[in-house]
Amino acid sequence: MSNEKNTVPQEAEQQPEQATMPLKLDVTARPIEPKGNLVGFASVKFNDAFVVEDFKILQSDKGIFVGMPSKPDKTSKTGYRDTAKPITAEFRKELTRAVIAAYHAAVEKLQARTVAAPEKQSIPEQLAESKKKADKDNATRTAPAKASNTKSAER
């Protein structure tokens, strides 16, 4: 037995050329109340066939960027290890653009919803307003006439 590896050069494999399908990315972004530089999470569905969750959307001095899904790893210098990551720089750019666009769309949707909704008063303000209205209504009412002795006789 030898320790040599049997490898076949790529030129010798002679696989037929396959037309590459464009990659369809369906991104769902979930903005959150900022915690440090973390401003949201995202999930990405690839070609309606595979989902990767827990992308982190982070805000820094240089703008918004996307963190890959990761898990704690004590042997890593950062303390985390990516569990999914792009191989090429081109795909990383495409993925980042798609996630950031979905994040901005989700934020705009939230802002539109809050602008369209009328502002509600706080509960103490509602109670104070109701008390004023009740006092005003009570002041305009006439005092009820005192009941006559007929009621006492009926008992």
Side-chain angles (χ1 to χ4, degrees):
M1 295 206 144
S2 73
N3 288 336
E4 293 180 27
K5 294 182 180 178
N6 292 328
T7 59
V8 179
Q10 287 184 347
E11 298 88 36
E13 289 181 8
Q14 300 299 323
Q15 292 182 351
E17 285 286 322
Q18 293 182 356
T20 58
M21 291 179 24
L23 188 61
K24 178 183 171 194
L25 300 177
D26 184 16
V27 181
T28 303
R30 298 175 307 281
I32 62 167
E33 189 68 33
K35 294 179 183 168
N37 63 347
L38 180 67
V39 294
F41 291 97
S43 298
V44 180
K45 188 184 329 176
F46 299 91
N47 287 343
D48 294 324
F50 189 78
V51 174
V52 178
E53 297 181 336
D54 296 328
F55 286 90
K56 292 160 200 70
I57 303 169
L58 304 155
Q59 177 77 47
S60 74
D61 296 338
K62 297 178 182 178
I64 294 177
F65 66 97
V66 178
M68 296 299 126
S70 60
K71 67 179 186 177
D73 183 4
K74 293 178 183 177
T75 62
S76 170
K77 65 181 178 181
T78 62
Y80 289 92
R81 180 175 58 90
D82 288 347
T83 56
K85 57 189 171 196
I87 301 298
T88 64
E90 295 84 26
F91 181 68
R92 180 178 291 273
K93 288 177 186 175
E94 181 181 348
L95 179 64
T96 299
R97 270 189 243 122
V99 171
I100 290 173
Y103 172 74
H104 285 303
V107 168
E108 287 175 13
K109 186 177 178 181
L110 284 173
Q111 288 173 341
R113 189 180 326 164
T114 57
V115 169
E119 287 195 34
K120 293 184 179 180
Q121 294 177 328
S122 67
I123 292 175
E125 290 171 341
Q126 290 176 19
L127 289 172
E129 188 175 315
S130 295
K131 183 181 183 315
K132 287 178 186 176
K133 185 177 177 189
D135 289 344
K136 183 179 176 183
D137 289 345
N138 287 339
T140 59
R141 284 190 194 153
T142 58
K146 290 196 175 190
S148 63
N149 290 336
T150 57
K151 284 189 178 178
S152 300
E154 289 177 7
R155 288 185 196 183

